[in-house]
Amino acid sequence: MITKPKGTYDLLDIDARIYTYISNLAEEFMHNYNIDYIRTPIFEASELFHRGIGGTTDIVTKETYDFKDRGDRQITLRPEGTAGVVRSVIENKLYGNRNDVLKYYYMGTMYRYERPQKGRFRELTQIGVEAFNSNEPMIDAEIISLGYYFIKSLGIEDFTVQINTLGDETSRTDYTKALKDYLKPHLEGLCEDCKSRFQTNPLRILDCKVDKDNEILKKAPRISAFLTKDAKERFDKVKEYLNILDIDYSVNENIVRGLDYYDHNVWEYVTDTEKVAIGGGGRYNSLVENLGGPSLPAVGFGLGVDRLILEIKKILPEKALTKQIDAYVMCVNEEEKMHAVSLVQDLRLNNIQAEINSNNLSLKSQFKTADTLGAKYLIILNSDDLQKGIITVKENSTKEEFKLDESEVVDWLIGNL
Ligand code: HAM
């Protein structure tokens, strides 16, 4: 038997239904926030991610799926969505002559060669939002709030937003120096990865999962002490807006994010119980320019859809997850089938979710199937009744029966569902 690749899963049954629900809600939400849909390729030139995400990040050094295509081009399956959207904004000159904010959202699969475990996959799905052309703290708050209320609308309450600022370049240079000076005599006490991060990307040591309870890190200098006046004011302003927008947030100075393109405000949506990041984002004012575009400030986030599905499964009652259709149309002989196909089509074209016995099942099996599908109403066609133009509709939970005129069935269901 050929099995699925390690770290992937087939989206089935309940998970598939939750996925569709998330995707429909995302569409609605984005529409209300005036955000346009964008789709970029799942594979891109490897250089995009090297330059975009950062050549020394874990994602680029250890986790990308790289290959040469048949034309000898160096290709990478996208590990995240931001770099591709930025490439598209530049390539299609989407920023030309505009003074409004450009906002895009996407939903799609990303690929990271990570060690698979619960909630961590090699093929993952993200919903992402990217907003370009505004450097106002107001839009940072708007974008944080969009993610926050989207997660809440899914019914997930067990999370908070953890925010931090990485400051501007001056803040970061000063802080990185202070952090290195502090860590240098303590290097032996850190994990192997952190020892190499000390050379390549010292800030990443702060959110190391291995060293998270290490006393050395607990006593390390904090970025807040190194912020320039501008950077501090900006962060304070974002927090002020978050208060106005009623966002439950806390400042966590260990949030530095695993991608190199961020500056200023960064954040993660973290579950309170298991401390899982169900999403994360930040401002990235230099990325567009670094990838060859104009100077264009930007901010955005990505939500892990696979992780949202796991969270929703924890809170939804069993009943809400079971399949429930509106009506099941039952028929046995040829005459009944002729009426049934036309009736089921009418129901469906009138927004009633309906199924029909299209597998020549016995009456007994049809009752069973209707139960499996959670049919609210059984529509029972019977030759004798049909001759008189009558159809029986049975409410499956109460077993109450209604004899209706064939022409009334659709309207009756519309009124009773
Ligand atoms: P990220 O933090 O790398 O950010 O990923 C965003 C979210 O994707 C995570 O919080 C997590 O929920 C989910 N995720 C990441 N890796 C996996 C995995 N292996 N399995 C399951 N879920 C995963 C970004 O990707 C940025 N592009 C976000 C962004 C957009 N920043 C600015 N704009």
Side-chain angles (χ1 to χ4, degrees):
M1 185 177 62
I2 301 170
T3 55
K4 61 189 178 304
K6 190 172 171 191
T8 67
Y9 69 100
D10 300 314
L11 187 72
L12 297 166
D13 299 331
I14 290 167
D15 293 23
R17 288 204 285 284
I18 298 176
Y19 176 90
T20 318
Y21 168 64
I22 295 175
S23 140
N24 290 341
L25 190 76
E27 218 170 281
E28 231 177 87
F29 240 79
M30 302 306 166
H31 177 78
N32 292 345
Y33 278 78
N34 187 31
I35 303 180
D36 289 330
Y37 179 71
I38 188 169
R39 198 188 77 180
T40 61
I42 285 176
F43 61 89
E44 299 263 7
S46 302
E47 193 195 347
L48 175 68
F49 301 114
H50 280 258
R51 273 173 52 194
I53 298 172
T56 60
T57 57
D58 280 358
I59 294 184
V60 167
T61 53
K62 301 183 194 160
E63 296 170 7
T64 49
Y65 279 86
D66 303 308
F67 60 96
K68 284 234 161 123
D69 73 5
R70 289 169 198 268
D72 212 29
R73 297 173 195 90
Q74 187 58 51
I75 298 291
T76 294
L77 296 185
R78 63 180 180 197
E80 58 102 53
T82 311
V85 173
V86 169
R87 185 218 23 84
S88 177
V89 166
I90 299 169
E91 194 170 343
N92 297 297
K93 294 200 170 44
L94 299 175
Y95 48 82
N97 289 332
R98 310 185 53 138
N99 47 26
D100 58 338
V101 181
L102 276 179
K103 293 187 276 188
Y104 293 106
Y105 83 95
Y106 48 87
M107 178 161 175
T109 50
M110 318 282 157
Y111 299 85
R112 296 186 187 181
Y113 194 82
E114 291 195 79
R115 194 140 44 85
Q117 51 178 259
K118 185 172 155 241
R120 193 197 287 157
F121 306 101
R122 291 185 174 170
E123 181 183 65
L124 57 128
T125 300
Q126 284 185 355
I127 295 177
V129 172
E130 315 292 349
F132 299 90
N133 208 22
S134 170
N135 198 16
E136 291 298 309
M138 188 188 200
I139 185 104
D140 294 57
E142 182 183 320
I143 297 295
I144 294 173
S145 150
L146 158 62
Y148 178 80
Y149 284 107
F150 178 71
I151 299 171
K152 286 220 152 203
S153 299
L154 290 169
I156 301 170
E157 294 285 343
D158 177 48
F159 78 103
T160 31
V161 190
Q162 301 192 357
I163 63 168
N164 190 22
T165 179
L166 303 177
D168 47 25
E169 220 179 310
T170 312
S171 323
R172 257 191 326 279
T173 311
D174 293 351
Y175 177 53
T176 307
K177 184 176 175 313
L179 187 65
K180 283 187 90 167
D181 288 348
Y182 165 79
L183 288 174
K184 202 165 184 181
H186 300 293
L187 272 185
E188 275 317 305
L190 298 179
C191 75
E192 286 310 307
D193 273 348
C194 282
K195 281 179 197 152
S196 71
R197 285 178 190 132
F198 180 81
Q199 300 301 338
T200 55
N201 199 345
L203 294 196
R204 286 285 285 151
I205 295 175
L206 294 174
D207 76 347
C208 171
K209 301 286 175 279
V210 180
D211 277 328
K212 73 176 182 328
D213 296 320
N214 192 325
E215 283 304 312
I216 300 169
L217 292 190
K218 286 188 181 158
K219 291 184 189 138
R222 304 265 129 191
I223 180 102
S224 49
F226 295 84
L227 295 178
T228 59
K229 185 166 168 286
D230 271 7
K232 182 176 177 322
E233 277 176 11
R234 200 194 152 84
F235 191 44
D236 288 343
K237 205 75 211 161
V238 173
K239 288 187 277 184
E240 245 177 78
Y241 280 117
L242 292 180
N243 290 333
I244 291 172
L245 294 170
D246 218 8
I247 311 287
D248 186 10
Y249 70 88
S250 59
V251 175
N252 176 354
E253 292 200 53
N254 289 337
I255 293 208
V256 289
R257 310 280 295 130
L259 309 105
D260 276 355
Y261 45 63
Y262 295 112
D263 47 21
H264 291 293
N265 184 36
V266 286
W267 72 93
E268 283 179 357
Y269 304 99
V270 184
T271 60
D272 297 329
T273 314
E274 292 184 39
K275 307 283 173 240
V276 172
I278 44 182
R283 180 158 278 286
Y284 50 97
N285 281 352
S286 311
L287 182 59
V288 182
E289 210 169 350
N290 288 346
L291 290 175
S295 164
L296 198 68
V299 61
F301 68 80
L303 298 180
V305 175
D306 315 272
R307 293 184 187 177
L308 291 175
I309 293 175
L310 290 172
E311 289 305 310
I312 291 173
K313 275 168 80 169
K314 284 186 204 158
I315 50 168
L316 274 189
E318 190 71 19
K319 197 163 170 288
L321 296 172
T322 50
K323 200 168 165 67
Q324 220 187 9
I325 66 165
D326 294 331
Y328 186 78
V329 180
M330 301 168 71
C331 50
V332 178
N333 65 32
E334 202 49 37
E335 185 189 2
E336 293 162 8
K337 283 182 194 166
M338 290 295 197
H339 284 262
V341 282
S342 145
L343 178 60
V344 79
Q345 169 166 282
D346 277 356
L347 294 172
R348 289 167 174 168
L349 295 180
N350 278 285
N351 277 338
I352 295 172
Q353 190 190 22
E355 192 47 281
I356 182 176
N357 161 33
S358 42
N359 211 13
N360 214 13
L361 300 175
S362 69
L363 209 52
K364 193 171 162 211
S365 300
Q366 290 184 56
F367 277 111
K368 256 199 189 150
T369 307
D371 282 343
T372 317
L373 295 173
K376 290 179 216 150
Y377 287 96
L378 309 177
I379 301 182
I380 307 161
L381 274 60
N382 159 297
S383 289
D384 292 343
D385 280 350
L386 283 176
Q387 315 248 318
K388 296 179 227 148
I390 288 178
I391 286 179
T392 303
V393 177
K394 184 169 173 180
E395 190 172 350
N396 208 10
S397 60
T398 60
K399 308 291 177 214
E400 200 178 346
E401 280 192 10
F402 306 87
K403 295 263 179 204
L404 301 176
D405 200 88
E406 192 171 357
S407 61
E408 290 173 356
V409 175
V410 174
D411 283 343
W412 190 91
L413 279 172
I414 291 173
N416 284 279
L417 275 165

